[in-house]
Amino acid sequence: MNNSETFKRLSITKKVVPLCRLFSVACSCTRTNLNMLAAQADRVMELGEWEERWQENRIGFHQPHIHKLLEKNVDQLFAGRTGVCCFFPLCGKALDMKWVADLGHSVVGVEISEKAIRQFFEENKLAYREEPVPAIPGAKVFKSSEKNITLYQCDLYSFSSSFEGKFGAIWDRGSLVAINPGDREKYASLIISLMAKDCRYLLDTFLYNPELFKGPPFLVPNEQVHSLFGESCDIELLQSVDSFTDKHRAWGVDYLTENMHLLTLKSN
């Protein structure tokens, strides 16, 4: 029995379990989840490897449909607001971007692969123009002529609020789980710096046994979400679902849980 099952059984048993015992199990779960990070701690993917995957069409991470958890939690992302500027880190050619734009919001994305960006516009039959980004050598920005969609082709860490200001919403599907584990603190600092005061940040993470699959996508335990963002943000776990499929079985893992978090800046 794993720690999460132990905690669940202790929580629902008809017997009265001493509080200290529950606390001990919870601490054990936390230690176990954080210790599991060691299996992927030294894993490094170079930017060129991601570009190579796009060139060779090895993009199993791309979803040819709107993300179901985004559809279910879109009201949490926008909270009744209109005309929100939504940031998509490591956006690829996600269909989610056009869907959000079709809702009347504006979209800004960052992606290293120029091929992915061009495919996004072409596959969605959107006219676009491209311009250099003088502040980032070699970078380009692609802008839709029909929808309010702006995609930067550059290293994510070269991007900052100086380009598009701060964002009222962030949809992070496949970004935190894709960056090198050793870069997560740098990533969290960047994301926090891009959040407007009223920003609502939806973060999608995975739980699985990292000893069976080296990633990416990488394991991101809930405890690490709190250690990365908890000082600056209030964090709510909106949903936890069993997302295990044959695709994940092919990775060699025997379970995969997908967690949806909502992060908002603390008022102080």
Side-chain angles (χ1 to χ4, degrees):
M1 186 189 309
N2 62 36
N3 283 314
S4 60
E5 291 171 339
T6 302
F7 187 80
K8 185 182 295 182
R9 292 190 184 188
L10 283 169
S11 299
I12 65 176
T13 183
K14 292 181 179 179
K15 294 170 60 178
V16 177
V17 180
L19 182 60
C20 60
R21 172 60 177 152
L22 287 175
F23 180 74
S24 175
V25 171
C27 289
S28 176
C29 292
T30 298
R31 286 194 301 271
T32 299
N33 286 338
L34 292 178
N35 288 342
M36 290 175 75
L37 291 171
Q40 296 176 336
D42 298 326
R43 181 82 166 96
V44 174
M45 284 278 291
E46 302 293 343
L47 291 180
E49 293 180 72
W50 286 110
E51 292 186 279
E52 186 176 277
R53 288 191 178 199
W54 278 101
Q55 290 301 324
E56 298 176 356
N57 204 37
R58 292 186 292 119
I59 52 171
F61 47 83
H62 172 68
Q63 293 190 349
H65 52 77
I66 309 305
H67 196 289
K68 292 180 180 178
L69 292 184
L70 174 60
E71 286 185 305
K72 187 164 185 177
N73 293 282
V74 67
D75 289 343
Q76 293 282 358
L77 183 60
F78 296 115
R81 297 171 297 166
T82 59
V84 176
C85 190
C86 184
F87 182 57
F88 285 71
L90 305 187
C91 60
K93 59 175 182 177
L95 297 181
D96 301 349
M97 294 189 287
K98 183 175 183 298
W99 185 71
V100 165
D102 286 342
L103 293 176
H105 305 290
S106 57
V107 166
V108 174
V110 172
E111 168 59 46
I112 190 61
S113 170
E114 182 174 331
K115 180 179 179 180
I117 293 175
R118 291 187 185 278
Q119 284 186 344
F120 168 77
F121 287 111
E122 291 163 4
E123 291 174 5
N124 287 287
K125 297 179 172 56
L126 294 172
Y128 67 93
R129 66 184 186 276
E130 62 180 271
E131 304 168 0
V133 182
I136 307 175
K140 299 178 182 179
V141 59
F142 296 75
K143 299 181 179 182
S144 169
S145 306
E146 306 162 52
K147 296 286 183 180
N148 199 354
I149 300 175
T150 302
L151 305 183
Y152 285 80
Q153 184 265 312
C154 65
D155 180 351
L156 178 64
Y157 300 114
S158 297
F159 189 77
S160 72
S161 59
S162 65
F163 295 101
E164 297 287 339
K166 298 194 175 188
F167 301 101
I170 299 174
W171 168 225
D172 187 332
R173 180 265 159 186
S175 187
L176 178 60
V177 298
I179 65 160
N180 296 327
D183 291 337
R184 286 179 184 167
E185 290 188 2
K186 179 168 67 170
Y187 178 88
S189 295
L190 172 63
I191 293 296
I192 291 168
S193 76
L194 295 174
M195 297 175 71
K197 289 182 180 180
D198 63 345
C199 183
R200 299 176 70 82
Y201 171 26
L202 280 187
L203 170 63
D204 188 44
T205 60
F206 297 129
L207 299 178
Y208 62 84
N209 185 349
E211 295 178 350
L212 301 177
F213 177 62
K214 65 180 183 178
F218 299 110
L219 166 81
V220 182
N222 296 350
E223 295 84 1
Q224 191 172 48
V225 173
H226 282 264
S227 68
L228 290 170
F229 295 99
E231 185 175 335
S232 300
C233 299
D234 291 318
I235 303 168
E236 179 184 357
L237 179 62
L238 296 178
Q239 201 168 357
S240 184
V241 298
D242 179 359
S243 295
F244 187 70
T245 66
D246 288 340
K247 168 186 170 181
H248 306 121
R249 184 177 287 110
W251 293 354
V253 302
D254 50 8
Y255 73 92
L256 185 135
T257 301
E258 192 168 3
N259 287 338
M260 179 70 77
H261 312 264
L262 173 65
L263 286 73
T264 54
L265 289 175
K266 291 181 177 179
S267 56
N268 58 357

